[in-house]
Amino acid sequence: MSKLDDLEKLNNLKENGAITLQEFEQEKQKILNVTEVDNTNENVIRLDIIGIILSVYSIIYVIASLYAYLGIFVIDLLVSTIISVTALLVSIKAKKQLTGKSKIPTVGIVCSIIAIILLLPFMFDFITKINLYY
């Protein structure tokens, strides 16, 4: 059904006395405020899913690369930080976009924060090993 059909039915209800003028105005606003995005859910990018995948991946990457110490410490630290911060930002954006009761963005935010917390000792170690004063 189109918005026009819905408005016509609503107007008929008002003219027949089935609803009051106040009810008519409330329902009219509901119909007019509906966005067309609701009809195209297939094209919506699921930032919440992307955020949770990046967050879990960042935890796994931090544990695998830094705690196992694969050898290229500076690059591992840089990549881990970029992935963790990106996952956090994507999850925050997903949380802002979703108006429903989805817990996936919240889980993504928590996982990203855990990954960043796991990175902190390595960041401090790296900073203290840098000798800025020759």
Side-chain angles (χ1 to χ4, degrees), residues 39-62:
N39 297 332
T40 59
N41 283 338
E42 301 87 30
N43 296 330
V44 175
I45 296 175
R46 295 292 308 261
L47 288 179
D48 55 340
I49 302 298
I50 294 170
I52 191 79
I53 291 171
L54 278 175
S55 300
V56 170
Y57 180 75
S58 66
I59 290 175
I60 293 169
Y61 189 81
V62 167

PDB file of all heavy atoms in Angstrom, residues 39-62:
ATOM      1  N   ASN A  39      11.443  -0.350   3.080  1.00  0.00           N
ATOM      2  CA  ASN A  39      11.156  -1.273   1.989  1.00  0.00           C
ATOM      3  C   ASN A  39      12.417  -1.852   1.362  1.00  0.00           C
ATOM      4  O   ASN A  39      12.339  -2.783   0.582  1.00  0.00           O
ATOM      5  CB  ASN A  39      10.334  -0.561   0.909  1.00  0.00           C
ATOM      6  CG  ASN A  39       8.989  -0.113   1.430  1.00  0.00           C
ATOM      7  OD1 ASN A  39       8.436  -0.715   2.348  1.00  0.00           O
ATOM      8  ND2 ASN A  39       8.458   0.954   0.860  1.00  0.00           N
ATOM      9  N   THR A  40      13.574  -1.288   1.673  1.00  0.00           N
ATOM     10  CA  THR A  40      14.816  -1.722   1.032  1.00  0.00           C
ATOM     11  C   THR A  40      15.815  -2.216   2.071  1.00  0.00           C
ATOM     12  O   THR A  40      16.964  -1.814   2.063  1.00  0.00           O
ATOM     13  CB  THR A  40      15.419  -0.568   0.222  1.00  0.00           C
ATOM     14  OG1 THR A  40      15.670   0.519   1.119  1.00  0.00           O
ATOM     15  CG2 THR A  40      14.512  -0.129  -0.896  1.00  0.00           C
ATOM     16  N   ASN A  41      15.423  -3.069   2.974  1.00  0.00           N
ATOM     17  CA  ASN A  41      16.314  -3.581   4.010  1.00  0.00           C
ATOM     18  C   ASN A  41      17.454  -4.414   3.440  1.00  0.00           C
ATOM     19  O   ASN A  41      18.475  -4.575   4.084  1.00  0.00           O
ATOM     20  CB  ASN A  41      15.531  -4.407   5.032  1.00  0.00           C
ATOM     21  CG  ASN A  41      14.769  -3.539   5.992  1.00  0.00           C
ATOM     22  OD1 ASN A  41      15.113  -2.376   6.182  1.00  0.00           O
ATOM     23  ND2 ASN A  41      13.739  -4.090   6.594  1.00  0.00           N
ATOM     24  N   GLU A  42      17.289  -4.953   2.244  1.00  0.00           N
ATOM     25  CA  GLU A  42      18.343  -5.763   1.661  1.00  0.00           C
ATOM     26  C   GLU A  42      19.574  -4.925   1.336  1.00  0.00           C
ATOM     27  O   GLU A  42      20.680  -5.431   1.272  1.00  0.00           O
ATOM     28  CB  GLU A  42      17.859  -6.451   0.376  1.00  0.00           C
ATOM     29  CG  GLU A  42      16.665  -7.367   0.563  1.00  0.00           C
ATOM     30  CD  GLU A  42      15.334  -6.639   0.468  1.00  0.00           C
ATOM     31  OE1 GLU A  42      15.247  -5.634  -0.250  1.00  0.00           O
ATOM     32  OE2 GLU A  42      14.394  -7.074   1.127  1.00  0.00           O
ATOM     33  N   ASN A  43      19.390  -3.634   1.073  1.00  0.00           N
ATOM     34  CA  ASN A  43      20.494  -2.775   0.665  1.00  0.00           C
ATOM     35  C   ASN A  43      21.178  -2.083   1.836  1.00  0.00           C
ATOM     36  O   ASN A  43      22.127  -1.346   1.633  1.00  0.00           O
ATOM     37  CB  ASN A  43      19.988  -1.710  -0.316  1.00  0.00           C
ATOM     38  CG  ASN A  43      19.473  -2.337  -1.592  1.00  0.00           C
ATOM     39  OD1 ASN A  43      19.947  -3.381  -2.008  1.00  0.00           O
ATOM     40  ND2 ASN A  43      18.492  -1.711  -2.206  1.00  0.00           N
ATOM     41  N   VAL A  44      20.725  -2.294   3.046  1.00  0.00           N
ATOM     42  CA  VAL A  44      21.295  -1.632   4.207  1.00  0.00           C
ATOM     43  C   VAL A  44      22.564  -2.365   4.628  1.00  0.00           C
ATOM     44  O   VAL A  44      22.590  -3.585   4.729  1.00  0.00           O
ATOM     45  CB  VAL A  44      20.270  -1.611   5.373  1.00  0.00           C
ATOM     46  CG1 VAL A  44      20.893  -1.036   6.617  1.00  0.00           C
ATOM     47  CG2 VAL A  44      19.046  -0.826   4.979  1.00  0.00           C
ATOM     48  N   ILE A  45      23.624  -1.604   4.848  1.00  0.00           N
ATOM     49  CA  ILE A  45      24.882  -2.182   5.305  1.00  0.00           C
ATOM     50  C   ILE A  45      24.746  -2.468   6.797  1.00  0.00           C
ATOM     51  O   ILE A  45      24.378  -1.597   7.572  1.00  0.00           O
ATOM     52  CB  ILE A  45      26.060  -1.225   5.052  1.00  0.00           C
ATOM     53  CG1 ILE A  45      26.239  -1.007   3.556  1.00  0.00           C
ATOM     54  CG2 ILE A  45      27.331  -1.751   5.679  1.00  0.00           C
ATOM     55  CD1 ILE A  45      27.284   0.012   3.210  1.00  0.00           C
ATOM     56  N   ARG A  46      25.029  -3.680   7.176  1.00  0.00           N
ATOM     57  CA  ARG A  46      24.901  -4.083   8.575  1.00  0.00           C
ATOM     58  C   ARG A  46      26.185  -3.738   9.323  1.00  0.00           C
ATOM     59  O   ARG A  46      27.073  -4.561   9.469  1.00  0.00           O
ATOM     60  CB  ARG A  46      24.603  -5.570   8.664  1.00  0.00           C
ATOM     61  CG  ARG A  46      23.275  -5.997   8.089  1.00  0.00           C
ATOM     62  CD  ARG A  46      22.094  -5.475   8.901  1.00  0.00           C
ATOM     63  NE  ARG A  46      22.181  -5.784  10.319  1.00  0.00           N
ATOM     64  CZ  ARG A  46      21.553  -6.780  10.918  1.00  0.00           C
ATOM     65  NH1 ARG A  46      20.779  -7.561  10.228  1.00  0.00           N
ATOM     66  NH2 ARG A  46      21.710  -6.974  12.213  1.00  0.00           N
ATOM     67  N   LEU A  47      26.270  -2.508   9.805  1.00  0.00           N
ATOM     68  CA  LEU A  47      27.452  -2.086  10.537  1.00  0.00           C
ATOM     69  C   LEU A  47      27.613  -2.855  11.840  1.00  0.00           C
ATOM     70  O   LEU A  47      28.725  -3.049  12.309  1.00  0.00           O
ATOM     71  CB  LEU A  47      27.383  -0.587  10.833  1.00  0.00           C
ATOM     72  CG  LEU A  47      27.575   0.343   9.647  1.00  0.00           C
ATOM     73  CD1 LEU A  47      27.460   1.792  10.083  1.00  0.00           C
ATOM     74  CD2 LEU A  47      28.912   0.105   8.998  1.00  0.00           C
ATOM     75  N   ASP A  48      26.496  -3.289  12.425  1.00  0.00           N
ATOM     76  CA  ASP A  48      26.598  -4.020  13.676  1.00  0.00           C
ATOM     77  C   ASP A  48      27.326  -5.348  13.481  1.00  0.00           C
ATOM     78  O   ASP A  48      28.164  -5.730  14.286  1.00  0.00           O
ATOM     79  CB  ASP A  48      25.228  -4.229  14.307  1.00  0.00           C
ATOM     80  CG  ASP A  48      24.224  -4.908  13.376  1.00  0.00           C
ATOM     81  OD1 ASP A  48      24.440  -4.874  12.154  1.00  0.00           O
ATOM     82  OD2 ASP A  48      23.229  -5.455  13.883  1.00  0.00           O
ATOM     83  N   ILE A  49      27.032  -6.044  12.374  1.00  0.00           N
ATOM     84  CA  ILE A  49      27.698  -7.311  12.086  1.00  0.00           C
ATOM     85  C   ILE A  49      29.168  -7.068  11.748  1.00  0.00           C
ATOM     86  O   ILE A  49      30.047  -7.796  12.218  1.00  0.00           O
ATOM     87  CB  ILE A  49      26.989  -8.055  10.926  1.00  0.00           C
ATOM     88  CG1 ILE A  49      25.516  -8.302  11.251  1.00  0.00           C
ATOM     89  CG2 ILE A  49      27.710  -9.346  10.595  1.00  0.00           C
ATOM     90  CD1 ILE A  49      25.270  -9.179  12.444  1.00  0.00           C
ATOM     91  N   ILE A  50      29.444  -6.047  10.957  1.00  0.00           N
ATOM     92  CA  ILE A  50      30.826  -5.712  10.612  1.00  0.00           C
ATOM     93  C   ILE A  50      31.610  -5.363  11.873  1.00  0.00           C
ATOM     94  O   ILE A  50      32.746  -5.800  12.060  1.00  0.00           O
ATOM     95  CB  ILE A  50      30.873  -4.557   9.590  1.00  0.00           C
ATOM     96  CG1 ILE A  50      30.270  -5.002   8.264  1.00  0.00           C
ATOM     97  CG2 ILE A  50      32.300  -4.066   9.395  1.00  0.00           C
ATOM     98  CD1 ILE A  50      30.057  -3.882   7.280  1.00  0.00           C
ATOM     99  N   GLY A  51      30.993  -4.595  12.762  1.00  0.00           N
ATOM    100  CA  GLY A  51      31.655  -4.204  14.006  1.00  0.00           C
ATOM    101  C   GLY A  51      31.978  -5.385  14.897  1.00  0.00           C
ATOM    102  O   GLY A  51      33.077  -5.466  15.454  1.00  0.00           O
ATOM    103  N   ILE A  52      31.039  -6.305  15.049  1.00  0.00           N
ATOM    104  CA  ILE A  52      31.289  -7.462  15.921  1.00  0.00           C
ATOM    105  C   ILE A  52      32.355  -8.372  15.323  1.00  0.00           C
ATOM    106  O   ILE A  52      33.211  -8.897  16.045  1.00  0.00           O
ATOM    107  CB  ILE A  52      29.989  -8.237  16.238  1.00  0.00           C
ATOM    108  CG1 ILE A  52      30.212  -9.265  17.348  1.00  0.00           C
ATOM    109  CG2 ILE A  52      29.465  -8.976  15.052  1.00  0.00           C
ATOM    110  CD1 ILE A  52      30.221  -8.700  18.695  1.00  0.00           C
ATOM    111  N   ILE A  53      32.356  -8.537  14.003  1.00  0.00           N
ATOM    112  CA  ILE A  53      33.381  -9.364  13.359  1.00  0.00           C
ATOM    113  C   ILE A  53      34.761  -8.737  13.531  1.00  0.00           C
ATOM    114  O   ILE A  53      35.727  -9.418  13.894  1.00  0.00           O
ATOM    115  CB  ILE A  53      33.047  -9.588  11.866  1.00  0.00           C
ATOM    116  CG1 ILE A  53      31.822 -10.495  11.737  1.00  0.00           C
ATOM    117  CG2 ILE A  53      34.237 -10.172  11.117  1.00  0.00           C
ATOM    118  CD1 ILE A  53      31.271 -10.599  10.340  1.00  0.00           C
ATOM    119  N   LEU A  54      34.860  -7.425  13.303  1.00  0.00           N
ATOM    120  CA  LEU A  54      36.140  -6.739  13.490  1.00  0.00           C
ATOM    121  C   LEU A  54      36.593  -6.794  14.945  1.00  0.00           C
ATOM    122  O   LEU A  54      37.785  -6.963  15.228  1.00  0.00           O
ATOM    123  CB  LEU A  54      36.030  -5.276  13.044  1.00  0.00           C
ATOM    124  CG  LEU A  54      36.177  -4.996  11.566  1.00  0.00           C
ATOM    125  CD1 LEU A  54      35.915  -3.530  11.279  1.00  0.00           C
ATOM    126  CD2 LEU A  54      37.557  -5.381  11.083  1.00  0.00           C
ATOM    127  N   SER A  55      35.648  -6.669  15.865  1.00  0.00           N
ATOM    128  CA  SER A  55      35.996  -6.684  17.288  1.00  0.00           C
ATOM    129  C   SER A  55      36.541  -8.034  17.720  1.00  0.00           C
ATOM    130  O   SER A  55      37.572  -8.112  18.398  1.00  0.00           O
ATOM    131  CB  SER A  55      34.761  -6.346  18.130  1.00  0.00           C
ATOM    132  OG  SER A  55      34.266  -5.088  17.799  1.00  0.00           O
ATOM    133  N   VAL A  56      35.867  -9.091  17.332  1.00  0.00           N
ATOM    134  CA  VAL A  56      36.335 -10.432  17.690  1.00  0.00           C
ATOM    135  C   VAL A  56      37.669 -10.711  17.000  1.00  0.00           C
ATOM    136  O   VAL A  56      38.596 -11.265  17.604  1.00  0.00           O
ATOM    137  CB  VAL A  56      35.269 -11.486  17.330  1.00  0.00           C
ATOM    138  CG1 VAL A  56      35.815 -12.892  17.468  1.00  0.00           C
ATOM    139  CG2 VAL A  56      34.029 -11.302  18.194  1.00  0.00           C
ATOM    140  N   TYR A  57      37.785 -10.313  15.753  1.00  0.00           N
ATOM    141  CA  TYR A  57      39.044 -10.498  15.035  1.00  0.00           C
ATOM    142  C   TYR A  57      40.173  -9.729  15.713  1.00  0.00           C
ATOM    143  O   TYR A  57      41.302 -10.223  15.797  1.00  0.00           O
ATOM    144  CB  TYR A  57      38.904 -10.058  13.575  1.00  0.00           C
ATOM    145  CG  TYR A  57      40.172 -10.219  12.788  1.00  0.00           C
ATOM    146  CD1 TYR A  57      40.599 -11.471  12.384  1.00  0.00           C
ATOM    147  CD2 TYR A  57      40.967  -9.121  12.474  1.00  0.00           C
ATOM    148  CE1 TYR A  57      41.779 -11.634  11.677  1.00  0.00           C
ATOM    149  CE2 TYR A  57      42.145  -9.266  11.779  1.00  0.00           C
ATOM    150  CZ  TYR A  57      42.546 -10.522  11.375  1.00  0.00           C
ATOM    151  OH  TYR A  57      43.717 -10.678  10.682  1.00  0.00           O
ATOM    152  N   SER A  58      39.884  -8.521  16.194  1.00  0.00           N
ATOM    153  CA  SER A  58      40.937  -7.739  16.836  1.00  0.00           C
ATOM    154  C   SER A  58      41.439  -8.411  18.108  1.00  0.00           C
ATOM    155  O   SER A  58      42.640  -8.419  18.377  1.00  0.00           O
ATOM    156  CB  SER A  58      40.457  -6.313  17.118  1.00  0.00           C
ATOM    157  OG  SER A  58      39.428  -6.309  18.086  1.00  0.00           O
ATOM    158  N   ILE A  59      40.533  -9.013  18.890  1.00  0.00           N
ATOM    159  CA  ILE A  59      40.962  -9.736  20.089  1.00  0.00           C
ATOM    160  C   ILE A  59      41.841 -10.928  19.701  1.00  0.00           C
ATOM    161  O   ILE A  59      42.904 -11.149  20.287  1.00  0.00           O
ATOM    162  CB  ILE A  59      39.747 -10.201  20.916  1.00  0.00           C
ATOM    163  CG1 ILE A  59      39.063  -8.998  21.556  1.00  0.00           C
ATOM    164  CG2 ILE A  59      40.166 -11.187  21.996  1.00  0.00           C
ATOM    165  CD1 ILE A  59      37.797  -9.344  22.296  1.00  0.00           C
ATOM    166  N   ILE A  60      41.394 -11.688  18.723  1.00  0.00           N
ATOM    167  CA  ILE A  60      42.164 -12.856  18.284  1.00  0.00           C
ATOM    168  C   ILE A  60      43.528 -12.431  17.748  1.00  0.00           C
ATOM    169  O   ILE A  60      44.555 -13.050  18.052  1.00  0.00           O
ATOM    170  CB  ILE A  60      41.370 -13.652  17.222  1.00  0.00           C
ATOM    171  CG1 ILE A  60      40.130 -14.284  17.864  1.00  0.00           C
ATOM    172  CG2 ILE A  60      42.241 -14.718  16.566  1.00  0.00           C
ATOM    173  CD1 ILE A  60      39.149 -14.869  16.874  1.00  0.00           C
ATOM    174  N   TYR A  61      43.552 -11.348  16.973  1.00  0.00           N
ATOM    175  CA  TYR A  61      44.816 -10.877  16.402  1.00  0.00           C
ATOM    176  C   TYR A  61      45.768 -10.409  17.486  1.00  0.00           C
ATOM    177  O   TYR A  61      46.968 -10.682  17.436  1.00  0.00           O
ATOM    178  CB  TYR A  61      44.556  -9.759  15.392  1.00  0.00           C
ATOM    179  CG  TYR A  61      45.783  -9.373  14.609  1.00  0.00           C
ATOM    180  CD1 TYR A  61      46.183 -10.123  13.521  1.00  0.00           C
ATOM    181  CD2 TYR A  61      46.550  -8.275  14.976  1.00  0.00           C
ATOM    182  CE1 TYR A  61      47.316  -9.787  12.801  1.00  0.00           C
ATOM    183  CE2 TYR A  61      47.689  -7.937  14.273  1.00  0.00           C
ATOM    184  CZ  TYR A  61      48.070  -8.692  13.184  1.00  0.00           C
ATOM    185  OH  TYR A  61      49.196  -8.370  12.488  1.00  0.00           O
ATOM    186  N   VAL A  62      45.246  -9.687  18.474  1.00  0.00           N
ATOM    187  CA  VAL A  62      46.092  -9.208  19.566  1.00  0.00           C
ATOM    188  C   VAL A  62      46.705 -10.388  20.307  1.00  0.00           C
ATOM    189  O   VAL A  62      47.913 -10.432  20.564  1.00  0.00           O
ATOM    190  CB  VAL A  62      45.286  -8.315  20.534  1.00  0.00           C
ATOM    191  CG1 VAL A  62      46.050  -8.067  21.818  1.00  0.00           C
ATOM    192  CG2 VAL A  62      44.944  -7.002  19.872  1.00  0.00           C
TER     193      VAL A  62
END
